Amino acid sequence: MKLTSPTQLDQVARDFRASLEGYKTTISLCGGTNCTACGCNEVLEVLKTELEARNLTYTVRLIVTGCQGLCSEAPLISINPDDVLYCNVEPGWIKRIVSDTVIEGKTIPDYCFTDPVNGTTYEKFSEIPFFSDQTRVLLANSPHIDPSDIRDYISVGGYRALAKALFEMEPGEIVDEISASGLRGRGGGGFPTGRKWASGAKAPGDHKWVICNADEGNPGAYMDGSLLESNPHLIIEGMIIGAKAVGAGAPGGGYIYVRNEYPLALSRISEAINEARRWGLLGNDILGSGLSFDIRINRGGGAFVCGESTALMASLEGKPGEPRPKYVHTVEKGYHNEPSVLNNVETWANVPGIILDGAQKYREHGTDASPGTKIFSLVGKVRHTGLVEIPMDRSVRSLVEGIGGGAPEGKKLKAVQTGGPSGGCLPVSQLDLQLDFDVLNEAGSMMGAGGIIVMDEDTCMVDIALHFIRFNTDESCGKCTPCREGLQEMERVLTHITEGKAEMDDLGHLEELGQWMIGGCLCALGATAPHPVLSTIKYFRDEYETHIKGHKCPGGVCRELIEYSVIEANCTGCGDCVTVCPTGAVSGLPDKVHKIDMLLCTKCDECYKACKFEAIGK
Amino acid sequence: MADRIEITINEWRVKADNREPLINVCRREGIDVPTLCHHDRIKPYGVCRVCMVKVSWGRKSKYVTACNYPVENDDVIDTESRDVMSLRKMSIEALLGRCPNEQEIVKFAASHGVTSSRFPPHKPGGDDCILCGLCVGVCNEVVGAKALGFMERGPEREVVTPFMEFPESCIACGACSALCPTTKMTMEHQKTEILKSRHGDIRPCRYALMGLYPGGICANNYRCHACDVDQKYREIAGDEHPIFIARTEITDGGEAA
């Protein structure tokens, strides 16, 4: 059915809620990418069969949601209204879950989340510190709604902001509201969204475009993919509001540039667009307001640089995804040289909330310069990995040590990398910094898209810097000299350092290369690529010096610099290391101290891993 | 008529058209801004980063490439401060490291005070291409033959013909080899003969295409190696320019056959 007035939205919501009244329980199975990889589809099949066998299909509502957030414990099942979250669910548990929790209403503590730090078991979903410490605004509905059913989104207040924007606000008022909220672009640059929209609205032209950047390529970051998977209509609603604000209605239009490596996000957003068209929320005369606007999807070909605005638009036009100089902004001349307002998925997702509740309410969270909440994807050597949404006035420490639970296995934290492969590494002494766009920039790192990679004491910072430089070298388009030649040169020098072949002058050379790239590169990929190197030299200079002067790798990572030796006091002569050594470099009689012949050793690390008595040193 | 504006270059006030490329203003005023990837007839590509200059507005400043930066009123431009020079020298050093055996690049680098490079070449003996994009630009925009393009990305990027095959659309005009600052673009006698037989003798010559010769069609119908435009070009570029070496080879081979 096509909705032709805003009052019909309320009717849809009422009807849908009425249709749910028959259900006593809702089981939400997480169907995010991680849970799918961890086997949620098998759980789903067993669950369906079990509910059918017990004749519960009319009283129990089973939905597959998008990512619920606690990805280290996948697959997840949440059961409402009991407010229970079961972690690491196996198909064999389903019988007991259905009989005990669904039918009898008893929580099974064995399946609940147990904190590995203090061993506390949390029987209530909302009491788990990982969730209760967060401020979930954008992700609030993700664990509860079925992303494939538009009515579910409408029933929790969806498309109300659109109705308000279409019928109660002028385009200028929408832009003013966004400006007043202080919303900053979530894709990395942190450019004020309101200012971008105002230039878009002012730019001359009949054809204008609003574009959503969902080409999330940072390794370890997946908040945009997760938003598209769990709540695609939120982004569509934001884009329609943006289209009205800047005048991108027909004959202009909208594009979502999704990376092709997100098959689930791609299918969910395509389905959502089709559904929105069926319900009259996209297409001609949206909700009877006279605004015509449609969104098309463009699949990205897997180039990291296409997250850069000009490269993205070149790619949309069907040209090679290479950036061009931005002396003329894309908001004036972008897609096909027409005004194009490009925002990141998360930025668009913020729009409906600001329009519905007002800019003042939005400013309640975060700092003056960086208001609102931000989704971080917390990965690496940290106990609880997953998506975390917190206001931007929280400190890095509260995110990593509080919500993340610190490094696992009793290891010490060493550094936190923010902002993906182009961000910097912050040492433990800097962890009290606020997660704010400007504060992170000043510290030599950046907010980026919100990827947070945690590193423990076993990490070698030179190796980490080399890893990110390799990533950027692979992803550089090779168009401009500093990015193409500078990254290759940085990779060469860093490789020398990890192999112990470098000299102290090379550090100065690296810093000089970094300054050259920051000043001279054509686009932001090259200009931010030296950050991992410069920040590690700034904060971990001693580690570089140990590599160069001492020919030692303090983290025990750089292969060329490792010398294995037997710590005689600890060796019991158990022979485990002899068994695993593939080249026969380790030898020794039973119950006698063993020896390692470094001429034969290939540094495969197997003996070190096999030793139970910490008798192998490196 | 474009609006006239005033900008400051190295503390000189100069007049310019609004949003005119900065390099045009500099050249008109006799201020030397070196480039390796710019030609008047081709849309600025802005990749060699040798023409880097600094633009300031009050306390804010930014490094831009002169070849494609559109000037605006009251821009304060600095083309020779230390930081600008160090960025520029580093770009030249990187390109010299990439192509240590290309005489034009060695000469260019030496004229800017760069005689050695810390960047080792990626290939033994060095590369023969600095990826300035002049050949691709002239072939696509001026000639319209579209017989050249870029392949791969990052370190593997190189200039190739479509699908790395003998290009069907090439008209053997030689514009790419005339513009190429290195020895990457050369014309092979045998292939030129094939292309000549396909397109005949009457076709636009490279000087006409590049705007160096006003006549449109070459008066000498391809046997233009001795025409006075060629002579003039020889005076500017010298006998040693790769194009003349390539030309001599073609002619000698052609007459012998």
Side-chain angles (χ1 to χ4, degrees):
Chain A
M1 94 179 236
K2 264 205 175 6
L3 303 176
T4 49
S5 76
T7 45
Q8 286 178 337
L9 275 176
D10 298 322
Q11 189 59 40
V12 171
R14 269 199 303 277
D15 290 351
F16 186 68
R17 275 196 292 269
S19 74
L20 295 184
E21 272 168 14
Y23 295 119
K24 283 187 205 140
T25 315
T26 305
I27 302 181
S28 316
L29 174 72
C30 178
T33 300
N34 195 27
C35 285
T36 309
C38 291
C40 82
N41 283 335
E42 287 127 59
V43 174
L44 177 68
E45 288 309 311
V46 178
L47 196 54
K48 268 187 193 158
T49 333
E50 183 68 18
L51 290 178
E52 271 166 29
R54 286 177 176 257
N55 245 339
L56 289 170
T57 40
Y58 294 103
T59 52
V60 177
R61 180 172 184 238
L62 173 63
I63 56 172
V64 179
T65 68
C67 182
Q68 301 190 357
L70 191 56
C71 300
S72 52
E73 312 290 329
L76 304 168
I77 280 185
S78 57
I79 298 172
N80 283 309
D82 302 317
D83 190 25
V84 179
L85 179 76
Y86 290 139
C87 302
N88 300 314
V89 178
E90 288 167 20
W93 296 4
I94 297 301
K95 264 197 163 51
R96 202 172 150 205
I97 292 176
V98 172
S99 64
D100 286 15
T101 313
V102 177
I103 297 177
E104 291 178 25
K106 283 190 297 191
T107 307
I108 312 162
D110 295 354
Y111 299 170
C112 288
F113 174 71
T114 304
D115 196 323
V117 188
N118 50 24
T120 324
T121 301
Y122 297 92
E123 296 194 0
K124 295 277 180 219
F125 188 165
S126 50
E127 286 171 7
I128 300 173
F130 182 81
F131 292 104
S132 62
D133 278 3
Q134 295 188 35
T135 312
R136 289 195 152 203
V137 179
L138 302 178
L139 294 173
N141 290 321
S142 293
H144 309 299
I145 63 167
D146 182 353
S148 60
D149 194 340
I150 193 172
R151 294 173 304 164
D152 213 344
Y153 179 65
I154 294 174
S155 76
V156 295
Y159 288 109
R160 294 301 193 289
L162 175 64
K164 185 176 172 189
L166 287 181
F167 293 96
E168 296 167 28
M169 296 171 92
E170 291 297 314
E173 289 176 275
I174 303 176
V175 174
D176 290 344
E177 195 70 36
I178 298 290
S179 300
S181 75
L183 173 65
R184 297 177 70 170
R186 297 293 198 252
F191 190 80
T193 309
R195 217 195 296 166
K196 192 185 266 186
W197 287 24
S199 334
K202 222 166 51 187
D206 298 331
H207 284 66
K208 291 188 187 178
W209 304 90
V210 288
I211 305 172
C212 172
N213 184 350
D215 191 52
E216 185 179 45
N218 287 4
Y222 52 102
M223 43 264 155
D224 293 349
S226 166
L227 269 174
L228 287 175
E229 283 166 15
S230 61
N231 205 349
H233 288 288
L234 189 64
I235 288 108
I236 298 176
E237 187 179 359
M239 287 182 71
I240 309 172
I241 295 172
K244 158 131 188 187
V246 303
Y255 269 104
I256 299 182
Y257 189 93
V258 197
R259 67 192 300 228
N260 206 24
E261 291 88 338
Y262 277 164
L264 188 62
L266 198 54
S267 75
R268 291 257 166 89
I269 188 72
S270 317
E271 209 180 317
I273 286 177
N274 284 334
E275 191 139 327
R277 283 186 192 137
R278 262 203 305 282
W279 286 79
L281 292 161
L282 279 178
N284 289 330
D285 197 13
I286 294 169
L287 283 180
S289 67
L291 175 73
S292 299
F293 175 72
D294 204 354
I295 298 175
R296 271 171 282 180
I297 287 183
N298 193 86
R299 288 175 299 157
F304 181 60
V305 72
C306 285
E308 205 277 339
S309 59
T310 52
L312 185 147
M313 285 174 200
S315 174
L316 267 183
E317 291 169 15
K319 296 176 185 155
E322 286 168 8
R324 60 159 177 80
K326 270 210 267 192
Y327 305 134
V328 180
H329 292 290
T330 51
V331 72
E332 286 161 29
K333 278 186 178 179
Y335 178 57
H336 286 304
N337 277 335
E338 287 155 0
S340 312
V341 174
L342 174 80
N343 283 125
N344 171 266
V345 171
E346 204 186 324
T347 319
W348 288 118
N350 272 297
V351 170
I354 296 171
I355 296 301
L356 197 61
D357 299 328
Q360 282 315 310
K361 179 119 196 303
Y362 185 77
R363 278 190 171 274
E364 282 172 14
H365 297 300
T367 61
D368 271 353
S370 304
T373 56
K374 169 90 190 79
I375 308 177
F376 293 95
S377 89
L378 187 60
V379 296
K381 300 286 178 64
V382 61
R383 282 202 182 89
H384 315 309
T385 58
L387 291 183
V388 180
E389 184 177 350
I390 48 173
M392 286 191 274
D393 53 2
R394 296 277 292 267
S395 69
V396 186
R397 190 182 298 282
S398 77
L399 171 64
V400 174
E401 291 187 345
I403 296 173
E409 296 160 23
K411 294 272 166 70
K412 269 190 254 160
L413 278 185
K414 184 168 186 180
V416 176
Q417 153 105 12
T418 67
S422 322
C425 295
L426 300 173
V428 176
S429 60
Q430 299 277 326
L431 288 194
D432 289 315
L433 291 179
Q434 275 182 342
L435 285 159
D436 169 297
F437 283 102
D438 309 318
V439 175
L440 289 178
N441 273 347
E442 269 167 39
S445 183
M446 62 181 213
M447 174 74 93
I452 303 278
I453 301 171
V454 184
M455 299 162 212
D456 69 7
E457 54 187 327
D458 288 345
T459 317
C460 169
M461 299 316 290
V462 185
D463 183 62
I464 283 291
L466 175 60
H467 172 83
F468 287 120
I469 290 298
R470 280 203 179 124
F471 176 86
N472 281 319
T473 314
D474 279 350
E475 294 297 340
S476 159
C477 76
K479 187 170 171 179
C480 74
T481 310
C483 181
R484 184 185 63 234
E485 306 296 333
L487 281 169
Q488 285 183 84
E489 178 65 3
M490 276 192 165
E491 187 180 332
R492 186 187 69 87
V493 175
L494 286 170
T495 311
H496 274 188
I497 296 179
T498 59
E499 290 171 351
K501 293 178 196 159
E503 284 161 19
M504 283 306 286
D505 289 349
D506 286 338
L507 277 188
H509 184 37
L510 278 179
E511 280 170 326
E512 213 179 311
L513 282 171
Q515 294 310 327
W516 172 49
M517 289 172 67
I518 290 174
C521 278
L522 196 156
C523 81
L525 187 147
T528 56
H531 277 157
V533 176
L534 294 182
S535 66
T536 47
I537 293 182
K538 181 173 169 192
Y539 294 120
F540 300 93
R541 199 180 178 93
D542 53 331
E543 207 161 304
Y544 278 87
E545 287 175 1
T546 322
H547 276 81
I548 298 170
K549 287 190 203 152
H551 298 279
K552 280 261 181 308
C553 174
V557 178
C558 301
R559 242 186 209 208
E560 300 290 322
L561 300 180
I562 300 175
E563 287 273 313
Y564 289 91
S565 63
V566 177
I567 301 163
E568 300 192 358
N570 290 353
C571 183
T572 61
C574 67
D576 281 358
C577 48
V578 181
T579 329
V580 294
C581 181
T583 58
V586 194
S587 59
L589 295 169
D591 300 331
K592 293 271 161 50
V593 171
H594 290 358
K595 270 185 189 159
I596 300 176
D597 183 352
M598 283 314 290
L599 286 176
L600 291 175
C601 180
T602 57
K603 300 180 182 174
C604 66
D605 213 36
E606 285 302 316
C607 55
Y608 181 80
K609 285 186 219 151
C611 184
K612 294 193 271 297
F613 307 100
E614 294 183 5
I616 304 226
K618 61 175 182 180
Chain B
M1 175 91 187
D3 302 339
R4 293 294 278 179
I5 55 165
E6 264 198 15
I7 59 172
T8 309
I9 305 180
N10 300 343
E11 297 176 1
W12 285 87
R13 291 292 282 177
V14 297
K15 287 206 164 56
D17 286 341
N18 195 17
R19 304 190 78 76
E20 180 183 4
L22 175 57
I23 200 154
N24 295 1
V25 187
C26 289
R27 294 204 169 151
R28 198 166 56 226
E29 300 296 332
I31 297 159
D32 177 42
V33 179
T35 75
L36 278 171
C37 71
H38 183 69
H39 189 277
D40 294 337
R41 289 283 307 243
I42 304 169
K43 219 167 85 185
Y45 196 45
V47 297
C48 72
R49 317 307 277 177
V50 172
C51 65
M52 221 74 201
V53 298
K54 186 157 87 175
V55 182
S56 340
W57 313 266
R59 270 197 218 149
K60 276 193 190 164
S61 69
K62 175 160 100 171
Y63 298 105
V64 299
T65 38
C67 62
N68 53 10
Y69 176 74
V71 291
E72 281 176 22
N73 204 12
D74 288 335
D75 280 349
V76 178
I77 288 148
D78 190 340
T79 68
E80 52 196 14
S81 66
R82 260 180 79 174
D83 46 345
V84 169
M85 287 316 248
S86 75
L87 284 181
R88 191 176 290 169
K89 275 191 177 170
M90 197 75 165
S91 298
I92 297 174
E93 188 184 334
L95 291 173
L96 178 65
R98 182 186 173 91
C99 309
N101 296 323
E102 287 296 335
Q103 288 318 306
E104 290 293 312
I105 302 298
V106 173
K107 236 191 271 173
F108 180 86
S111 69
H112 290 90
V114 183
T115 47
S116 67
S117 175
R118 286 167 287 181
F119 296 73
H122 314 304
K123 288 184 196 166
D127 212 309
D128 55 0
C129 177
I130 58 163
L131 295 170
C132 66
L134 282 174
C135 53
V136 179
V138 76
C139 191
N140 289 313
E141 289 172 29
V142 183
V143 181
K146 301 197 173 161
L148 290 169
F150 289 108
M151 186 181 76
E152 286 286 356
R153 69 180 186 206
E156 278 91 45
R157 187 177 172 94
E158 59 178 316
V159 174
V160 291
T161 52
F163 303 101
M164 299 179 78
E165 284 170 359
F166 187 61
E168 291 294 313
S169 53
C170 176
I171 57 167
C173 66
C176 52
S177 61
L179 283 192
C180 182
T182 64
T183 54
K184 167 83 176 171
M185 288 295 147
T186 49
M187 298 179 74
E188 291 167 31
H189 167 61
Q190 274 190 326
K191 290 184 179 166
T192 315
E193 286 302 306
I194 300 174
L195 290 163
K196 251 177 88 175
S197 66
R198 194 190 292 158
H199 293 282
D201 271 351
I202 302 176
R203 57 202 232 319
C205 93
R206 64 179 190 277
Y207 303 121
L209 289 166
M210 283 151 45
L212 294 172
Y213 175 70
I217 298 290
C218 173
N220 288 350
N221 293 347
Y222 193 47
R223 300 192 181 281
C224 54
H225 55 87
C227 82
D228 43 326
V229 179
D230 227 342
Q231 294 294 346
K232 270 182 207 156
Y233 195 66
R234 206 180 283 267
E235 278 162 27
I236 303 166
D239 283 345
E240 296 305 306
H241 192 277
I243 178 61
F244 293 116
I245 299 166
R247 274 283 164 196
T248 326
E249 282 163 10
I250 294 164
T251 326
D252 294 351
E255 278 163 9

